[in-house]
């Protein structure tokens, strides 16, 4: 039984930012449409000679590569295995390394000769692979890749000693606060999809909690009605054996997709190979959604040849209420950087990224969610919403 529609790998493995360095200035975009258009131009390219360029890349070397003239850097939230990228955009040979990348840097200095140099940054920004691309049409590359960048927002490089730079927009951001009616996806649909024989599954209430338990004696599913989350576990599959990154991500995606579990715009954002874990983040209009009142991620932990643990929301954003929309202005990235530098409880050198996302809150009636844009920072693998209290009282709608 399929709960939702099936997706393709291209729907869930997407970049979140593109950054251009040309004519001695930075421009960039996080626009969903612009990034989709950019990826669309990759189709038909022939990737040649993927070779290891540097297996001990320093932060300064990475920064120099990104800031070189006529370079485009595409940022991904998680490390994308080469073999999976090969499914989307084929290399000319199949002998690809069992590793992953989080950034693609495109050197277009020789595009007039129909030649590009591509660099793939992987393994916590310390390994660099290089590939050559022969593009079929230079005019199309100019029109679809280079020219649009001249209309993108201006960005600024935030340099830091001996660590990767941060890149933020100089423009203030106009954002819209949305109010959505939500709809529950019946947990019975997940019961029918996840258990080997749903006819043998028994349901009971968990004493003292607003939870229900489904079990067939071999596996169980706990439904948290307050947070609208469910957790499925198959204990016999628990394993400490590490699975190759490409297999973890592929098996995880196929498992969820098989029952139509990607019920909204969920995107791959993180993989922990030490735990065989893969996370998919909820996105709205190209921005990630975070909350401390419910979960906005789908998480899988792969076990012995099958799923071991599966955690996810069972709500869906059904309809936005037009009359409840509110518009506000967020500070620019540059303004936020100045405030973050002054924070006492998080060292600026330990900030891995700063980006805009939606913060989800729930009404008491449980059927309405609000989603409001805020600035977030990535620190120790977790995203933190930047509130006025944390930033020393900065206004402009940050709550």
């Amino acid at each position: 039984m399929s709960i939702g529609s099936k997706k393709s790998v291209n729907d869930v493995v997407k970049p979140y930012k593109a950054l251009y360095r040309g004519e001695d200035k930075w421009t960039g975009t996080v626009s969903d449409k612009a990034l989709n258009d950019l990826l669309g131009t990759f189709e038909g390219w022939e990737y040649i000679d993927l070779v290891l360029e540097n297996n001990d890349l320093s932060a300064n070397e990475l920064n120099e590569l990104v800031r070189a003239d006529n370079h485009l850097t595409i940022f991904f939230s998680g490390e994308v295995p080469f073999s999976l990228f090969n499914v989307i955009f084929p290399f000319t040979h199949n002998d690809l390394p069992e590793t992953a990348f989080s950034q693609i840097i495109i050197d277009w200095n020789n595009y007039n000769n129909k030649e590009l140099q591509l660099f793939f940054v992987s393994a916590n920004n310390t390994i660099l692979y290089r590939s050559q691309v022969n593009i079929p049409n230079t005019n199309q590359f100019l029109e679809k890749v280079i020219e649009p960048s001249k209309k993108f927002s201006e960005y600024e490089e935030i340099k830091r000693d001996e660590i990767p730079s941060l890149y933020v927009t100089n423009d203030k951001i106009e954002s819209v606060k949305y109010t959505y009616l939500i709809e529950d996806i019946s947990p019975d649909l997940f019961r029918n999809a996840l258990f080997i024989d749903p006819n043998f599954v028994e349901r009971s209430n968990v004493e003292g909690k607003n939870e229900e338990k489904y079990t067939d004696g071999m596996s169980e599913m706990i439904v948290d009605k307050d947070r609208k989350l469910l957790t499925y576990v198959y204990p016999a599959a628990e394993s400490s054996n590490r699975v190759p990154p490409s297999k973890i991500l592929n098996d995880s995606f196929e498992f969820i997709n098989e029952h139509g579990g990607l019920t909204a715009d969920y995107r791959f954002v993180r993989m922990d190979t030490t735990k065989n874990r893969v996370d998919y983040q909820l996105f709205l209009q190209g921005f990630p959604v975070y909350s401390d009142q419910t979960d906005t991620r789908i998480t899988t932990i792969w076990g012995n040849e099958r799923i071991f643990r599966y955690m996810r929301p069972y709500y869906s954003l059904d309809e936005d209420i037009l009359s409840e929309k509110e518009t506000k202005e967020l500070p620019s990235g540059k303004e936020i950087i100045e405030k973050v530098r002054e924070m006492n409880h998080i060292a600026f050198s330990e900030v891995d990224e700063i980006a805009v996302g939606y913060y989800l809150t729930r009404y008491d009636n449980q059927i309405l969610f609000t989603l409001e844009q805020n600035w977030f920072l990535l620190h120790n693998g977790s995203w933190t919403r930047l509130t006025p209290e944390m930033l020393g009282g900065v206004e402009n709608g940050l709550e």
Side-chain angles (χ1 to χ4, degrees):
M1 172 178 288
S2 185
I3 296 169
S5 58
K6 302 291 181 68
K7 301 284 183 76
S8 68
V9 172
N10 310 50
D11 294 323
V12 298
V13 179
K14 291 185 173 184
Y16 69 90
K17 180 167 64 179
L19 183 73
Y20 290 77
R21 178 67 174 177
E23 299 178 0
D24 295 324
K25 73 173 184 178
W26 299 96
T27 61
T29 183
V30 295
S31 161
D32 212 22
K33 182 182 184 307
L35 292 171
N36 286 336
D37 290 345
L38 179 60
L39 289 184
T41 64
F42 289 8
E43 296 179 10
W45 288 7
E46 293 183 1
Y47 299 80
I48 304 171
D49 298 331
L50 183 68
V51 296
L52 179 62
E53 183 84 359
N54 191 335
N55 63 2
D56 189 24
L57 186 70
S58 71
N60 288 338
E61 288 171 326
L62 173 60
N63 291 336
E64 288 294 334
L65 190 60
V66 174
R67 72 168 67 104
D69 283 344
N70 299 330
H71 278 201
L72 157 64
T73 304
I74 302 169
F75 296 83
F76 293 80
S77 298
E79 298 251 324
V80 182
F82 277 106
S83 59
L84 190 75
F85 189 73
N86 194 37
V87 172
I88 304 172
F89 304 111
F91 287 87
T92 55
H93 61 280
N94 294 319
D95 187 20
L96 297 172
E98 183 53 71
T99 187
F101 63 88
S102 59
Q103 296 176 38
I104 302 175
I105 302 171
I106 300 176
D107 175 353
W108 78 76
N109 280 288
N110 292 321
Y111 85 93
N112 278 323
N113 296 326
K114 295 188 175 182
E115 180 182 298
L116 305 176
Q117 293 290 323
L118 265 67
F119 298 93
F120 297 85
V121 183
S122 65
N124 297 317
N125 299 331
T126 60
I127 297 180
L128 184 71
Y129 285 88
R130 176 178 52 80
S131 179
Q132 180 182 318
V133 169
N134 294 326
I135 54 176
N137 188 318
T138 56
N139 289 332
Q140 182 189 49
F141 182 79
L142 177 66
E143 178 185 346
K144 299 293 186 180
V145 178
I146 300 177
E147 288 299 325
S149 69
K150 298 176 181 178
K151 299 179 181 179
F152 292 154
S153 298
E154 287 195 11
Y155 270 65
E156 181 168 331
E157 178 185 10
I158 308 301
K159 297 180 180 179
R160 301 181 293 178
D161 294 335
E162 304 300 328
I163 54 177
S165 296
L166 297 173
Y167 305 91
V168 295
T169 174
N170 287 333
D171 299 336
K172 291 185 182 294
I173 298 169
E174 183 178 287
S175 69
V176 179
K177 177 180 177 181
Y178 293 94
T179 300
Y180 272 84
L181 283 169
I182 66 162
E183 182 178 6
D184 286 354
I185 304 169
S186 172
D188 287 341
L189 294 176
F190 289 99
R191 176 201 62 190
N192 295 338
L194 299 176
F195 288 89
I196 296 173
D197 189 341
N199 294 320
F200 287 96
V201 175
E202 296 181 353
R203 181 173 62 181
S204 60
N205 293 319
V206 178
E207 186 175 351
K209 297 182 180 179
N210 191 19
E211 294 179 353
E212 287 185 335
K213 178 180 178 180
Y214 294 72
T215 183
D216 62 358
M218 295 182 295
S219 55
E220 71 175 26
M221 183 175 75
I222 300 295
V223 177
D224 183 339
K225 294 182 177 180
D226 289 332
R227 293 177 62 83
K228 297 188 180 297
L229 308 174
L230 63 82
T231 302
Y232 170 83
V233 182
Y234 191 89
E238 185 174 11
S239 174
S240 59
N241 296 329
R242 292 194 183 185
V243 181
S246 58
K247 181 171 173 56
I248 299 174
L249 185 51
N250 183 70
D251 288 351
S252 164
F253 171 73
E254 292 294 336
F255 164 75
I256 301 173
N257 207 36
E258 180 65 26
H259 60 264
L262 296 162
T263 51
D265 187 6
Y266 285 98
R267 303 185 186 180
F268 164 66
V269 293
R270 183 170 177 263
M271 177 165 45
D272 184 345
T273 56
T274 65
K275 299 178 181 178
N276 296 336
R277 171 175 171 159
V278 178
D279 291 334
Y280 301 84
Q281 185 73 48
L282 176 63
F283 275 68
L284 178 69
Q285 298 179 351
F287 294 94
V289 179
Y290 305 105
S291 178
D292 57 10
Q293 299 183 11
T294 183
D295 207 339
T296 57
R297 282 191 178 188
I298 295 175
T299 296
T300 65
I301 299 177
W302 203 252
N304 185 16
E305 299 301 323
R306 62 157 293 157
I307 194 71
F308 163 58
R309 188 182 300 271
Y310 177 40
M311 300 163 283
R312 61 162 300 135
Y314 65 87
Y315 62 82
S316 65
L317 302 177
D318 184 39
E319 181 182 357
D320 69 294
I321 303 173
L322 297 178
S323 62
E324 296 293 325
K325 283 185 179 179
E326 299 177 21
T327 302
K328 67 176 183 180
E329 188 177 76
L330 292 182
S332 68
K334 187 176 179 180
E335 290 175 287
I336 289 296
I337 286 288
E338 293 172 358
K339 293 292 182 178
V340 171
R341 284 184 185 275
E342 299 171 359
M343 292 170 58
N344 295 321
H345 60 292
I346 296 178
F348 187 61
S349 60
E350 296 176 358
V351 175
D352 296 314
E353 181 62 291
I354 293 179
V356 172
Y358 280 100
Y359 181 67
L360 183 154
T361 55
R362 300 188 301 173
Y363 281 78
D364 291 338
N365 61 17
Q366 300 286 313
I367 64 170
L368 292 177
F369 283 2
T370 61
L371 294 104
E372 185 171 12
Q373 283 186 317
N374 284 263
W375 281 99
F376 293 79
L377 65 78
L378 180 62
H379 173 253
N380 287 337
S382 297
W383 286 95
T384 300
R385 181 170 64 109
L386 296 173
T387 64
E389 293 76 19
M390 295 173 64
L391 296 170
V394 65
E395 295 299 331
N396 294 318
L398 272 179
E399 296 180 357

